[in-house]
Amino acid sequence: MGAQFESFTIPVYILCAIPSAFIGAFLSLFIFRQTININSVIALVVLFGLSVNNAIILYEAIRELKTLTPSSVIKESSGKIRAILVTSLTTIFALIPFAIDPLHKNAQSSMSIAIIGGLITSLITTVFILPPILYKAMKNKDNK
């Protein structure tokens, strides 16, 4: 990723969405009394890709700005929220039927619950926390 972004710090900031996704996945598994099994571990791999993808969408939008100001970053971030919300919410709503398992017979319910919980926390991180971090990082990069 360092070669793709021509920086070693930007990928680190993009990867900031991953810990919140994992926290959300483990928290949702705990709340719904699901075990950590192979399906929930697969969900963590899926969350890795989805979280990074949302962060990259946001980064690319901010990178294309001609003038980097806080208001322009907010405007561009709010413009990309629709794309990020569509990808996240369609995944969440598609997995809800698999997550509902009152008889505990569906083996994939733990995967669905982990992905849903992780996407919700990753979405919050990507939309509210990542734009100011990227702004500061890109501002420092421009000043050097």
Side-chain angles (χ1 to χ4, degrees), residues 19 21 31 34 41 47 55 57 60 64 86 90 94 105 108-109 113 116 118 121-122 136 141-142:
I31 289 171
Q34 294 287 327
V41 172
L47 279 173
I57 289 171
E60 288 296 326
E64 292 175 1
V86 166
T90 54
K105 295 197 180 223
Q108 284 80 24
S109 67
I113 289 171
I116 290 170
T121 55
S122 172
K136 288 185 179 186
K141 185 179 175 183
D142 289 342

Side-chain angles (χ1 to χ4, degrees), residues 66-140:
K66 291 183 176 100
T67 57
L68 194 63
T69 62
S71 61
S72 66
V73 169
I74 290 171
K75 183 179 177 187
E76 197 62 36
S77 297
S78 63
K80 288 298 176 182
I81 286 177
R82 180 179 295 150
I84 293 170
L85 280 175
V86 166
T87 58
S88 297
L89 291 178
T90 54
T91 305
I92 289 170
F93 287 128
L95 289 174
I96 287 176
F98 297 104
I100 299 171
D101 185 26
L103 301 176
H104 301 290
K105 295 197 180 223
N106 186 1
Q108 284 80 24
S109 67
S110 63
M111 182 188 316
S112 303
I113 289 171
I115 292 174
I116 290 170
L119 270 180
I120 290 171
T121 55
S122 172
L123 182 66
I124 292 168
T125 302
T126 303
V127 170
F128 295 112
I129 297 172
L130 199 57
I133 291 172
L134 288 175
Y135 168 74
K136 288 185 179 186
M138 295 172 82
K139 193 75 167 172
N140 288 340

